[in-house]
Amino acid sequence: MPSAPEKTWTAQVVSAGRTYPTDTAPVVNPARTGEIVGTYALAGPRIVAEVVRNAQDAAVTWGSLTGAQRGRLLHTAADALERDLATRAELLTREQGKVLWESRLDLGGGPRLLRYYADIAPAVDEETVVRDERGTTVIRRLPMGPTVVIVPWNYPVYLCMMVLAPALAAGNPVIVKPSEFAPLALTETLAMLASALPDGVVNVVPGLGGEAGAALVSHPGVRKVLFTGGTESGRAVLRGAAQNITSVSLELGGNDPAIVLDSAVLDDRLIREIRRSVYTCTGQVCFNIKRLYVQRGVYDEFVDKFRQAVDEIVVGDGLDPASTTGPLNNKKQFDSVTALLDSTRKDGAQVDVLGRALDGTDWDNGYFMLPSVVTGIPHDSDLVSREQFGPTVPVVPFDDVEDAVRMANDTEFGLAASVWSEDPEHALTVGRRIAAGSVFVNSHRVGSSDMTMPFGGMKQSGLGRNHGMWAIDECSELQALSHRPDTSAFPGPATW
Ligand code: NAD
């Protein structure tokens, strides 16, 4: 069994090297709810105001560096983040619940993302010059200013760095509000990053969403909000930011469909890929597969093989290498998935509970749940139409591809989707008809989307796009600087 933690961690306010006393709240280990892993600061509007001022001061110098200069500083900061990765990965598993390899992946993404954006930072200064008979126009990017990054608990470090790194490369100081359910490893990482960069460039304000988060998004000194989280919270962020017409990008929830066509070969690789795409992080990933539509010709074979594969899952403490998946992250999430499965059973669907508990797991004192596969479920039931964010998936048969496309699109979400077939051309044709920001053929998981593809959601799954220069543009102002001495071609009478 994993040993007890050696120290208690604290996620404090990080800003300009000063200390900010606050009340604190506990962070509980979801695999052993009697264990307090650490505490986080409960920052409120007064601290938010001080931190925004620090970021405003830092914006002047950080924003006036060239992209190349910022890139060099970000490379050095990335080196600093390589230290103590193993300790922070263990901490992340203790507070988040997921298995250790996923925590390493989550944290390891930090330095990788910083280096990627450090390399492209010089391109931020590239200007487009338009010369014609009327004169010259220069189009250039400018930093927006203090930028708030609000983070969820499922992949806290990676999802933070995915938006923080381009914001820094574009010349903006950042203020991060970690999730109250996984603030420790992220704050530890950001404190290291803050020390490696000039004062006030990286700041952390832990606290509750409705207090610290709400105060940040409605502060007049904040010019950009990069929010990742649930759709309801996204709506509240938009309302808060509306007060000062603050620019907002949103990465929100998803209810990703996967369509398995008759032409798919249901070999071990495909079944394992889909299993992984559903149950990674105990089903708590925004673009995990949340609904499976399987064409009638392969439906029975698929359900049979998929159940067998899911039955291999071992649920236990994420620190134990014998666990395939850990517990759900928090009580609210556990209760929500439990209620959804109860109502699914009441509606007459078949819920096959599979897998096994790891020997020695303290099952009743953790948010553990065995994986399940649900069949005999209509397309309009809650488990199909809602984002379950847990270790279960409905498998719905279809006869005609038209029906599959209609059901896949019958949702307010539009984050990602996938089509599975041995005929990629046909799969791509089907994929073109799905309203989602990313559509994959024969894969659908962390890694399926990389920096060469814009990442983000359609409909209520978000606003804006991440990755590569799309992410830089998301947190830059575009300025047109024009000198056109000959105004005779402009509209309006020449005599005026
Ligand atoms: P959440 O919306 O409850 O919380 C996310 C963050 O927002 C937390 O830091 C929280 O404190 C803060 N917050 C909550 N209310 C706020 C408010 N009024 N003002 C400002 N901040 C506020 O989401 P969660 O439970 O942490 O994460 C799960 C959700 O996130 C799921 O819906 C999932 O799909 C989504 N998600 C989306 C992506 C993506 O890239 N699209 C990635 C990961 C998670």
Side-chain angles (χ1 to χ4, degrees), residues 150-155 159 162 177-181 207-215 217 227-234 236-237 250-254 284-287 290 330 332-333 387 389 413 415 455-457 461-462:
I150 298 184
V151 182
W153 44 257
N154 57 345
Y155 264 79
L159 291 171
M162 188 162 114
K177 212 298 278 167
S179 165
E180 40 280 62
F181 295 111
L208 302 175
E211 291 177 14
V217 299
F227 175 84
T228 308
T231 300
E232 270 319 307
S233 310
V237 166
L250 302 172
E251 297 282 359
L252 304 178
Q284 304 164 115
V285 178
C286 54
F287 74 111
K290 310 277 172 37
N330 59 71
K332 185 169 161 240
Q333 197 57 35
E387 180 192 39
F389 230 55
F413 294 109
L415 190 58
F455 180 75
S461 284

Short mmCIF file of all heavy atoms in Angstrom, two decimals, residues 150-155 159 162 177-181 207-215 217 227-234 236-237 250-254 284-287 290 330 332-333 387 389 413 415 455-457 461-462, ligand 1:
data_model
loop_
_atom_site.label_atom_id
_atom_site.label_comp_id
_atom_site.label_asym_id
_atom_site.label_seq_id
_atom_site.Cartn_x
_atom_site.Cartn_y
_atom_site.Cartn_z
N ILE A 150 -7.86 30.41 -15.62
CA ILE A 150 -8.65 29.66 -14.63
C ILE A 150 -8.67 28.19 -15.05
O ILE A 150 -8.91 27.86 -16.21
CB ILE A 150 -10.06 30.24 -14.48
CG1 ILE A 150 -9.94 31.68 -13.99
CG2 ILE A 150 -10.89 29.40 -13.50
CD1 ILE A 150 -11.25 32.37 -13.70
N VAL A 151 -8.38 27.32 -14.08
CA VAL A 151 -7.98 25.95 -14.38
C VAL A 151 -8.91 24.94 -13.70
O VAL A 151 -9.31 25.15 -12.56
CB VAL A 151 -6.53 25.75 -13.86
CG1 VAL A 151 -6.02 24.37 -14.18
CG2 VAL A 151 -5.60 26.80 -14.45
N PRO A 152 -9.24 23.82 -14.38
CA PRO A 152 -10.03 22.75 -13.74
C PRO A 152 -9.13 21.74 -13.02
O PRO A 152 -7.91 21.91 -13.00
CB PRO A 152 -10.74 22.09 -14.93
CG PRO A 152 -9.75 22.22 -16.05
CD PRO A 152 -8.96 23.48 -15.79
N TRP A 153 -9.74 20.68 -12.47
CA TRP A 153 -8.96 19.75 -11.64
C TRP A 153 -8.52 18.49 -12.37
O TRP A 153 -7.79 17.68 -11.82
CB TRP A 153 -9.77 19.35 -10.39
CG TRP A 153 -11.20 19.00 -10.64
CD1 TRP A 153 -12.28 19.80 -10.39
CD2 TRP A 153 -11.75 17.80 -11.20
NE1 TRP A 153 -13.45 19.18 -10.76
CE2 TRP A 153 -13.15 17.95 -11.26
CE3 TRP A 153 -11.19 16.60 -11.66
CZ2 TRP A 153 -14.00 16.95 -11.76
CZ3 TRP A 153 -12.02 15.61 -12.16
CH2 TRP A 153 -13.41 15.79 -12.20
N ASN A 154 -8.98 18.26 -13.59
CA ASN A 154 -8.70 16.94 -14.19
C ASN A 154 -7.26 16.82 -14.71
O ASN A 154 -6.58 15.84 -14.45
CB ASN A 154 -9.73 16.60 -15.27
CG ASN A 154 -9.81 17.63 -16.37
OD1 ASN A 154 -9.30 18.75 -16.24
ND2 ASN A 154 -10.44 17.29 -17.45
N TYR A 155 -6.80 17.81 -15.49
CA TYR A 155 -5.40 17.88 -15.92
C TYR A 155 -4.87 19.26 -15.56
O TYR A 155 -4.62 20.09 -16.43
CB TYR A 155 -5.28 17.59 -17.43
CG TYR A 155 -4.94 16.15 -17.71
CD1 TYR A 155 -5.91 15.16 -17.65
CD2 TYR A 155 -3.63 15.76 -17.96
CE1 TYR A 155 -5.60 13.83 -17.86
CE2 TYR A 155 -3.30 14.43 -18.17
CZ TYR A 155 -4.29 13.48 -18.13
OH TYR A 155 -3.97 12.16 -18.33
N LEU A 159 -3.29 21.64 -18.56
CA LEU A 159 -4.29 22.58 -19.10
C LEU A 159 -3.95 24.02 -18.75
O LEU A 159 -4.27 24.94 -19.51
CB LEU A 159 -5.68 22.20 -18.61
CG LEU A 159 -6.22 20.89 -19.19
CD1 LEU A 159 -7.52 20.47 -18.50
CD2 LEU A 159 -6.46 21.01 -20.70
N MET A 162 -0.94 24.94 -21.11
CA MET A 162 -1.36 25.01 -22.51
C MET A 162 -1.81 26.44 -22.88
O MET A 162 -1.65 26.86 -24.02
CB MET A 162 -2.51 24.02 -22.72
CG MET A 162 -2.94 23.83 -24.12
SD MET A 162 -3.87 22.30 -24.24
CE MET A 162 -5.46 22.91 -24.65
N LYS A 177 -5.69 31.01 -11.39
CA LYS A 177 -6.59 30.58 -10.30
C LYS A 177 -6.73 29.07 -10.45
O LYS A 177 -7.45 28.57 -11.31
CB LYS A 177 -7.95 31.27 -10.49
CG LYS A 177 -8.70 31.57 -9.22
CD LYS A 177 -9.07 30.36 -8.39
CE LYS A 177 -10.32 29.65 -8.85
NZ LYS A 177 -10.49 28.32 -8.22
N PRO A 178 -6.01 28.29 -9.58
CA PRO A 178 -6.12 26.83 -9.67
C PRO A 178 -7.48 26.36 -9.18
O PRO A 178 -8.21 27.10 -8.53
CB PRO A 178 -5.03 26.32 -8.71
CG PRO A 178 -4.22 27.52 -8.32
CD PRO A 178 -5.09 28.72 -8.51
N SER A 179 -7.82 25.11 -9.51
CA SER A 179 -9.06 24.53 -8.97
C SER A 179 -8.88 24.23 -7.49
O SER A 179 -7.81 23.81 -7.05
CB SER A 179 -9.37 23.22 -9.71
OG SER A 179 -10.34 22.49 -8.98
N GLU A 180 -9.96 24.39 -6.74
CA GLU A 180 -9.90 24.07 -5.30
C GLU A 180 -9.71 22.57 -5.07
O GLU A 180 -9.34 22.15 -3.99
CB GLU A 180 -11.12 24.62 -4.56
CG GLU A 180 -12.48 24.51 -5.23
CD GLU A 180 -12.77 25.58 -6.29
OE1 GLU A 180 -12.05 25.64 -7.30
OE2 GLU A 180 -13.75 26.34 -6.11
N PHE A 181 -9.95 21.74 -6.12
CA PHE A 181 -9.83 20.28 -5.97
C PHE A 181 -8.47 19.74 -6.38
O PHE A 181 -8.23 18.54 -6.21
CB PHE A 181 -10.94 19.58 -6.77
CG PHE A 181 -12.31 19.87 -6.24
CD1 PHE A 181 -13.19 20.65 -6.97
CD2 PHE A 181 -12.70 19.40 -5.00
CE1 PHE A 181 -14.45 20.94 -6.47
CE2 PHE A 181 -13.96 19.67 -4.49
CZ PHE A 181 -14.85 20.45 -5.24
N GLY A 207 -8.11 29.82 -4.44
CA GLY A 207 -9.35 30.22 -3.78
C GLY A 207 -10.54 29.60 -4.46
O GLY A 207 -10.40 28.75 -5.35
N LEU A 208 -11.72 30.03 -4.03
CA LEU A 208 -12.96 29.46 -4.57
C LEU A 208 -13.33 30.14 -5.89
O LEU A 208 -13.03 31.33 -6.09
CB LEU A 208 -14.10 29.65 -3.56
CG LEU A 208 -13.84 29.03 -2.18
CD1 LEU A 208 -14.99 29.40 -1.22
CD2 LEU A 208 -13.68 27.52 -2.28
N GLY A 209 -14.01 29.39 -6.75
CA GLY A 209 -14.40 29.93 -8.05
C GLY A 209 -15.27 31.17 -7.91
O GLY A 209 -15.04 32.19 -8.57
N GLY A 210 -16.28 31.08 -7.01
CA GLY A 210 -17.23 32.18 -6.87
C GLY A 210 -16.65 33.38 -6.15
O GLY A 210 -17.27 34.45 -6.12
N GLU A 211 -15.46 33.24 -5.54
CA GLU A 211 -14.85 34.38 -4.83
C GLU A 211 -13.59 34.86 -5.58
O GLU A 211 -13.66 35.84 -6.32
CB GLU A 211 -14.52 33.98 -3.39
CG GLU A 211 -15.79 33.78 -2.59
CD GLU A 211 -15.55 33.30 -1.17
OE1 GLU A 211 -14.41 33.37 -0.68
OE2 GLU A 211 -16.53 32.84 -0.56
N ALA A 212 -12.48 34.12 -5.42
CA ALA A 212 -11.25 34.54 -6.11
C ALA A 212 -11.47 34.59 -7.62
O ALA A 212 -11.09 35.56 -8.30
CB ALA A 212 -10.11 33.59 -5.77
N GLY A 213 -12.10 33.53 -8.17
CA GLY A 213 -12.30 33.46 -9.62
C GLY A 213 -13.18 34.60 -10.11
O GLY A 213 -12.84 35.31 -11.07
N ALA A 214 -14.32 34.81 -9.42
CA ALA A 214 -15.25 35.86 -9.84
C ALA A 214 -14.61 37.24 -9.72
O ALA A 214 -14.80 38.11 -10.58
CB ALA A 214 -16.53 35.77 -9.01
N ALA A 215 -13.82 37.46 -8.64
CA ALA A 215 -13.18 38.77 -8.46
C ALA A 215 -12.15 39.02 -9.57
O ALA A 215 -12.00 40.15 -10.05
CB ALA A 215 -12.50 38.83 -7.08
N VAL A 217 -12.13 37.75 -12.77
CA VAL A 217 -12.66 37.98 -14.12
C VAL A 217 -13.38 39.32 -14.24
O VAL A 217 -13.49 39.86 -15.34
CB VAL A 217 -13.59 36.83 -14.60
CG1 VAL A 217 -12.85 35.51 -14.64
CG2 VAL A 217 -14.85 36.71 -13.78
N PHE A 227 -10.23 30.67 -19.79
CA PHE A 227 -10.95 29.82 -18.84
C PHE A 227 -11.07 28.40 -19.37
O PHE A 227 -11.47 28.19 -20.52
CB PHE A 227 -12.36 30.39 -18.58
CG PHE A 227 -13.19 29.50 -17.70
CD1 PHE A 227 -13.08 29.57 -16.31
CD2 PHE A 227 -14.06 28.56 -18.23
CE1 PHE A 227 -13.83 28.73 -15.48
CE2 PHE A 227 -14.81 27.71 -17.42
CZ PHE A 227 -14.69 27.81 -16.04
N THR A 228 -10.76 27.41 -18.53
CA THR A 228 -11.02 26.01 -18.85
C THR A 228 -11.83 25.42 -17.71
O THR A 228 -11.41 25.47 -16.55
CB THR A 228 -9.70 25.22 -19.02
OG1 THR A 228 -8.88 25.90 -19.95
CG2 THR A 228 -9.97 23.82 -19.53
N GLY A 229 -13.00 24.86 -18.03
CA GLY A 229 -13.84 24.29 -16.98
C GLY A 229 -15.21 23.95 -17.54
O GLY A 229 -15.39 23.80 -18.76
N GLY A 230 -16.19 23.86 -16.65
CA GLY A 230 -17.54 23.46 -17.06
C GLY A 230 -18.30 24.59 -17.76
O GLY A 230 -17.98 25.78 -17.59
N THR A 231 -19.33 24.22 -18.50
CA THR A 231 -20.07 25.20 -19.30
C THR A 231 -20.81 26.20 -18.42
O THR A 231 -20.84 27.40 -18.71
CB THR A 231 -21.02 24.46 -20.27
OG1 THR A 231 -20.21 23.63 -21.11
CG2 THR A 231 -21.81 25.41 -21.14
N GLU A 232 -21.39 25.73 -17.28
CA GLU A 232 -22.09 26.67 -16.39
C GLU A 232 -21.13 27.72 -15.84
O GLU A 232 -21.45 28.91 -15.80
CB GLU A 232 -22.75 25.92 -15.23
CG GLU A 232 -24.17 25.45 -15.51
CD GLU A 232 -25.01 26.48 -16.27
OE1 GLU A 232 -25.08 27.63 -15.82
OE2 GLU A 232 -25.58 26.13 -17.32
N SER A 233 -19.94 27.28 -15.41
CA SER A 233 -18.95 28.24 -14.90
C SER A 233 -18.53 29.19 -16.01
O SER A 233 -18.31 30.38 -15.78
CB SER A 233 -17.72 27.53 -14.35
OG SER A 233 -18.08 26.52 -13.45
N GLY A 234 -18.42 28.66 -17.23
CA GLY A 234 -18.05 29.50 -18.38
C GLY A 234 -19.04 30.63 -18.59
O GLY A 234 -18.66 31.77 -18.89
N ALA A 236 -20.86 32.01 -16.22
CA ALA A 236 -20.64 32.98 -15.15
C ALA A 236 -19.41 33.84 -15.46
O ALA A 236 -19.41 35.06 -15.19
CB ALA A 236 -20.45 32.25 -13.81
N VAL A 237 -18.38 33.24 -16.03
CA VAL A 237 -17.17 33.99 -16.38
C VAL A 237 -17.50 35.04 -17.44
O VAL A 237 -17.08 36.20 -17.35
CB VAL A 237 -16.06 33.02 -16.87
CG1 VAL A 237 -14.93 33.76 -17.56
CG2 VAL A 237 -15.53 32.20 -15.69
N LEU A 250 -12.81 30.43 -23.98
CA LEU A 250 -13.39 29.38 -23.14
C LEU A 250 -13.11 28.00 -23.71
O LEU A 250 -13.37 27.75 -24.90
CB LEU A 250 -14.91 29.57 -23.05
CG LEU A 250 -15.46 30.89 -22.51
CD1 LEU A 250 -16.98 30.95 -22.68
CD2 LEU A 250 -15.10 31.05 -21.03
N GLU A 251 -12.58 27.11 -22.88
CA GLU A 251 -12.46 25.67 -23.21
C GLU A 251 -13.41 24.98 -22.24
O GLU A 251 -13.12 24.86 -21.06
CB GLU A 251 -11.04 25.16 -22.97
CG GLU A 251 -9.97 25.79 -23.83
CD GLU A 251 -9.93 25.26 -25.25
OE1 GLU A 251 -10.74 24.38 -25.58
OE2 GLU A 251 -9.10 25.76 -26.02
N LEU A 252 -14.57 24.53 -22.75
CA LEU A 252 -15.62 24.06 -21.83
C LEU A 252 -15.86 22.56 -21.96
O LEU A 252 -15.05 21.81 -22.49
CB LEU A 252 -16.89 24.86 -22.09
CG LEU A 252 -16.73 26.38 -21.97
CD1 LEU A 252 -18.04 27.07 -22.30
CD2 LEU A 252 -16.25 26.77 -20.58
N GLY A 253 -17.01 22.14 -21.50
CA GLY A 253 -17.33 20.72 -21.46
C GLY A 253 -17.57 20.13 -22.84
O GLY A 253 -17.67 20.85 -23.84
N GLY A 254 -17.64 18.81 -22.87
CA GLY A 254 -17.90 18.12 -24.13
C GLY A 254 -18.76 16.89 -23.89
O GLY A 254 -18.89 16.43 -22.75
N GLN A 284 -12.65 11.30 -16.72
CA GLN A 284 -12.77 12.73 -16.42
C GLN A 284 -11.85 13.58 -17.32
O GLN A 284 -10.98 14.30 -16.83
CB GLN A 284 -12.44 12.98 -14.95
CG GLN A 284 -13.30 12.17 -13.99
CD GLN A 284 -12.71 12.14 -12.58
OE1 GLN A 284 -13.29 12.66 -11.66
NE2 GLN A 284 -11.55 11.54 -12.40
N VAL A 285 -11.99 13.43 -18.61
CA VAL A 285 -11.23 14.26 -19.55
C VAL A 285 -12.24 14.89 -20.50
O VAL A 285 -13.17 14.23 -20.96
CB VAL A 285 -10.19 13.43 -20.36
CG1 VAL A 285 -9.46 14.32 -21.36
CG2 VAL A 285 -9.19 12.76 -19.43
N CYS A 286 -12.06 16.19 -20.78
CA CYS A 286 -13.06 16.90 -21.58
C CYS A 286 -13.28 16.23 -22.93
O CYS A 286 -14.40 16.14 -23.40
CB CYS A 286 -12.65 18.35 -21.78
SG CYS A 286 -10.99 18.53 -22.47
N PHE A 287 -12.20 15.74 -23.58
CA PHE A 287 -12.44 15.10 -24.88
C PHE A 287 -12.21 13.59 -24.85
O PHE A 287 -11.82 13.01 -25.83
CB PHE A 287 -11.77 15.84 -26.04
CG PHE A 287 -10.30 15.71 -26.20
CD1 PHE A 287 -9.76 15.01 -27.26
CD2 PHE A 287 -9.45 16.33 -25.32
CE1 PHE A 287 -8.39 14.92 -27.45
CE2 PHE A 287 -8.08 16.23 -25.48
CZ PHE A 287 -7.55 15.54 -26.55
N LYS A 290 -17.59 10.07 -24.85
CA LYS A 290 -18.67 10.04 -23.85
C LYS A 290 -19.88 9.24 -24.35
O LYS A 290 -20.78 8.94 -23.57
CB LYS A 290 -19.12 11.48 -23.52
CG LYS A 290 -17.99 12.45 -23.17
CD LYS A 290 -17.57 12.34 -21.74
CE LYS A 290 -16.33 13.12 -21.35
NZ LYS A 290 -16.07 14.39 -21.90
N ASN A 330 -13.66 14.02 -6.71
CA ASN A 330 -14.28 14.67 -5.55
C ASN A 330 -15.69 14.14 -5.33
O ASN A 330 -16.25 13.46 -6.19
CB ASN A 330 -14.25 16.20 -5.72
CG ASN A 330 -14.99 16.65 -6.96
OD1 ASN A 330 -16.22 16.58 -7.01
ND2 ASN A 330 -14.28 17.09 -7.98
N LYS A 332 -18.61 15.62 -5.16
CA LYS A 332 -19.66 16.12 -6.05
C LYS A 332 -19.67 15.31 -7.35
O LYS A 332 -20.73 14.91 -7.84
CB LYS A 332 -19.38 17.61 -6.33
CG LYS A 332 -20.45 18.28 -7.14
CD LYS A 332 -20.23 19.80 -7.13
CE LYS A 332 -20.97 20.43 -8.28
NZ LYS A 332 -20.16 21.14 -9.23
N GLN A 333 -18.47 15.04 -7.87
CA GLN A 333 -18.38 14.28 -9.12
C GLN A 333 -18.84 12.84 -8.90
O GLN A 333 -19.57 12.27 -9.72
CB GLN A 333 -16.92 14.32 -9.63
CG GLN A 333 -16.76 13.93 -11.08
CD GLN A 333 -17.60 14.81 -11.99
OE1 GLN A 333 -17.77 16.00 -11.74
NE2 GLN A 333 -18.17 14.21 -13.02
N GLU A 387 -22.86 15.34 -20.16
CA GLU A 387 -21.44 15.00 -20.02
C GLU A 387 -21.27 14.24 -18.72
O GLU A 387 -21.33 14.85 -17.64
CB GLU A 387 -20.61 16.30 -20.00
CG GLU A 387 -19.14 16.05 -19.87
CD GLU A 387 -18.33 17.31 -19.55
OE1 GLU A 387 -18.79 18.15 -18.76
OE2 GLU A 387 -17.22 17.43 -20.09
N PHE A 389 -18.67 12.54 -17.35
CA PHE A 389 -17.41 12.80 -16.66
C PHE A 389 -17.14 11.74 -15.59
O PHE A 389 -16.86 12.04 -14.43
CB PHE A 389 -17.41 14.20 -16.05
CG PHE A 389 -16.18 15.00 -16.39
CD1 PHE A 389 -15.80 15.19 -17.70
CD2 PHE A 389 -15.37 15.56 -15.40
CE1 PHE A 389 -14.67 15.92 -18.04
CE2 PHE A 389 -14.24 16.30 -15.71
CZ PHE A 389 -13.88 16.48 -17.04
N PHE A 413 -23.14 20.44 -27.24
CA PHE A 413 -21.67 20.46 -27.19
C PHE A 413 -21.07 20.25 -28.58
O PHE A 413 -21.75 19.78 -29.50
CB PHE A 413 -21.16 19.34 -26.28
CG PHE A 413 -21.53 19.53 -24.83
CD1 PHE A 413 -22.47 18.71 -24.23
CD2 PHE A 413 -20.95 20.54 -24.08
CE1 PHE A 413 -22.81 18.87 -22.89
CE2 PHE A 413 -21.29 20.71 -22.74
CZ PHE A 413 -22.22 19.88 -22.15
N LEU A 415 -17.09 19.63 -28.85
CA LEU A 415 -15.65 19.69 -28.58
C LEU A 415 -14.88 18.80 -29.56
O LEU A 415 -14.14 19.28 -30.41
CB LEU A 415 -15.38 19.27 -27.12
CG LEU A 415 -13.95 19.51 -26.63
CD1 LEU A 415 -13.57 20.97 -26.75
CD2 LEU A 415 -13.80 19.06 -25.18
N PHE A 455 -7.17 23.74 -31.48
CA PHE A 455 -7.94 22.96 -30.49
C PHE A 455 -8.96 23.85 -29.81
O PHE A 455 -8.62 24.92 -29.29
CB PHE A 455 -7.00 22.34 -29.44
CG PHE A 455 -7.75 21.55 -28.41
CD1 PHE A 455 -8.25 20.30 -28.72
CD2 PHE A 455 -8.02 22.08 -27.15
CE1 PHE A 455 -8.98 19.57 -27.80
CE2 PHE A 455 -8.75 21.35 -26.22
CZ PHE A 455 -9.23 20.09 -26.54
N GLY A 456 -10.21 23.39 -29.79
CA GLY A 456 -11.25 24.16 -29.11
C GLY A 456 -12.60 23.63 -29.52
O GLY A 456 -12.70 22.74 -30.36
N GLY A 457 -13.64 24.19 -28.90
CA GLY A 457 -14.96 23.62 -29.13
C GLY A 457 -15.89 24.50 -29.92
O GLY A 457 -15.77 25.73 -29.91
N SER A 461 -19.30 24.24 -26.29
CA SER A 461 -18.03 23.69 -25.80
C SER A 461 -16.92 24.74 -25.77
O SER A 461 -15.80 24.42 -25.35
CB SER A 461 -17.58 22.50 -26.66
OG SER A 461 -18.36 21.36 -26.34
N GLY A 462 -17.19 25.94 -26.21
CA GLY A 462 -16.15 26.94 -26.03
C GLY A 462 -16.15 28.09 -27.01
O GLY A 462 -16.98 28.18 -27.92
P1 NAD B 1 -15.57 24.02 -12.96
O1 NAD B 1 -16.20 24.84 -14.01
O2 NAD B 1 -16.37 23.64 -11.78
O3 NAD B 1 -14.27 24.74 -12.39
C1 NAD B 1 -13.22 25.15 -13.24
C2 NAD B 1 -12.53 26.34 -12.61
O4 NAD B 1 -13.42 27.46 -12.64
C3 NAD B 1 -12.15 26.15 -11.14
O5 NAD B 1 -10.89 26.74 -10.91
C4 NAD B 1 -13.25 26.91 -10.41
O6 NAD B 1 -12.84 27.35 -9.15
C5 NAD B 1 -13.48 28.06 -11.36
N1 NAD B 1 -14.78 28.71 -11.26
C6 NAD B 1 -15.97 28.15 -10.95
N2 NAD B 1 -16.94 29.10 -10.95
C7 NAD B 1 -16.35 30.27 -11.29
C8 NAD B 1 -16.81 31.60 -11.46
N3 NAD B 1 -18.09 31.94 -11.26
N4 NAD B 1 -15.93 32.56 -11.83
C9 NAD B 1 -14.64 32.25 -12.03
N5 NAD B 1 -14.13 31.01 -11.85
C10 NAD B 1 -14.98 30.02 -11.49
O7 NAD B 1 -15.00 22.74 -13.73
P2 NAD B 1 -14.26 21.48 -13.11
O8 NAD B 1 -15.29 20.67 -12.37
O9 NAD B 1 -13.04 21.93 -12.41
O10 NAD B 1 -13.80 20.72 -14.44
C11 NAD B 1 -14.63 19.87 -15.13
C12 NAD B 1 -15.21 20.57 -16.35
O11 NAD B 1 -14.19 21.19 -17.11
C13 NAD B 1 -15.87 19.59 -17.28
O12 NAD B 1 -17.07 20.14 -17.77
C14 NAD B 1 -14.87 19.45 -18.41
O13 NAD B 1 -15.40 19.04 -19.62
C15 NAD B 1 -14.31 20.82 -18.48
N6 NAD B 1 -13.00 20.81 -19.13
C16 NAD B 1 -12.87 21.32 -20.39
C17 NAD B 1 -11.64 21.26 -21.05
C18 NAD B 1 -11.46 21.77 -22.45
O14 NAD B 1 -10.32 21.92 -22.88
N7 NAD B 1 -12.51 22.05 -23.19
C19 NAD B 1 -10.56 20.69 -20.40
C20 NAD B 1 -10.75 20.17 -19.12
C21 NAD B 1 -11.96 20.25 -18.48
#
